[in-house]
Amino acid sequence: MKGKHLSSVLILTAALLVAAYVVYDHRSDTQGNDPLDVYLENEGIDVADEGEVPDYEEVDETGVRPGMLLKDISLPVWDEEEEMSISDFRGDYVVLNIWATWCPPCREEMPELIQFQEDYGDAGVQVVGINNTTQEPNEETVGRFIDEFNISFPTLMARNNEVTLDYQVIAMPLTYILDPDGRIIIRHTGYLDYGVLEEFLDEAKERYEENGEASD
């Protein structure tokens, strides 16, 4: 009897372990795949621990930290047959904004970016958008977003994972402020309003001029 009882306990225990695994495996398959779920889970912030941000300095290394050159990537332009590279915007201070249609703060800050381009476009500033197309349901959704906000600055389409990997896009919106040489001055994850953009531009100009790069 004891042997039968022990066998029954072992069988029941094994059945419970299998059931627990099935439930866990199902949750793993059904959770975390939706970009909005991931965004909300992370509260829209960059979850990477980047440590202390180094001071702006001239280096030839490409990377994602201030002082480094942002990797030059060529991407297709929305609703056009041509491609544009990040280096095409050299000579201007660049506000490079990486966004997605399902991202609430991306939607909230878009009018700020549009107004900023309108106000500073003639003063050597260029806003450039990169849609993280790999995380969109389809490109028609992107088109409706662009039409809704009447986005006037260039929108580049990240149709593969190169931008995500090379620019370390962990959460969105992600914005890089580049100096006229294509060097990173600021990397910012999260919502930006007009006032913060002006502060970032002032900081970019100050750092660029401190390094003796700005022309008189």
Side-chain angles (χ1 to χ4, degrees):
M1 293 294 293
K2 289 184 177 179
K4 290 183 178 180
H5 179 70
L6 180 58
S7 298
S8 298
V9 171
L10 291 174
I11 292 172
L12 179 59
T13 301
L16 289 173
L17 289 173
V18 170
Y21 175 79
V22 169
V23 171
Y24 175 81
D25 188 59
H26 174 71
R27 292 185 64 187
S28 297
D29 287 342
T30 56
Q31 291 186 355
N33 292 326
D34 181 69
L36 181 56
D37 288 343
V38 173
Y39 176 87
L40 293 175
E41 181 181 350
N42 293 333
E43 297 181 348
I45 61 174
D46 194 335
V47 296
D49 182 8
E50 297 185 2
E52 293 294 325
V53 177
D55 291 334
Y56 178 87
E57 59 180 335
E58 285 189 49
V59 292
D60 293 330
E61 183 181 1
T62 60
V64 298
R65 290 179 176 273
M68 294 181 173
L69 293 167
L70 188 66
K71 181 178 179 180
D72 189 23
I73 297 178
S74 294
L75 296 169
V77 182
W78 165 254
D79 206 27
E80 296 184 19
E81 296 182 359
E82 66 175 313
E83 290 192 350
M84 297 189 76
S85 301
I86 304 305
S87 60
D88 290 337
F89 304 101
R90 294 275 174 90
D92 289 334
Y93 290 93
V94 176
V95 179
L96 185 66
N97 179 258
I98 303 171
W99 58 274
T101 60
W102 45 263
C103 160
C106 298
R107 169 177 289 272
E108 186 176 357
E109 74 178 4
M110 190 57 68
E112 309 283 327
L113 291 164
I114 294 170
Q115 188 62 52
F116 195 74
Q117 175 62 51
E118 291 179 359
D119 292 346
Y120 286 91
D122 293 333
V125 176
Q126 179 63 61
V127 178
V128 181
I130 298 182
N131 172 257
N132 203 349
T133 317
T134 58
Q135 295 191 22
E136 298 287 2
N138 52 61
E139 293 196 12
E140 287 74 17
T141 302
V142 180
R144 288 194 294 270
F145 186 98
I146 292 172
D147 290 341
E148 176 185 351
F149 287 95
N150 193 24
I151 298 175
S152 54
F153 51 76
T155 298
L156 311 184
M157 308 293 285
R159 291 172 175 156
N160 57 46
N161 291 322
E162 184 178 12
V163 167
T164 297
L165 295 174
D166 289 339
Y167 293 173
Q168 294 189 13
V169 184
I170 299 172
M172 291 180 285
L174 172 62
T175 303
Y176 283 100
I177 309 297
L178 309 179
D179 72 16
D181 294 331
R183 200 175 300 279
I184 301 165
I185 294 182
I186 293 168
R187 169 187 161 103
H188 177 86
T189 304
Y191 169 78
L192 288 172
D193 64 21
Y194 191 95
V196 172
L197 286 167
E198 286 189 313
E199 291 176 6
F200 282 173
L201 178 60
D202 288 343
E203 181 177 348
K205 289 180 176 180
E206 180 179 350
R207 291 191 179 188
Y208 189 59
E209 291 168 0
E210 282 177 355
N211 282 271
E213 297 292 337
S215 59
D216 295 329

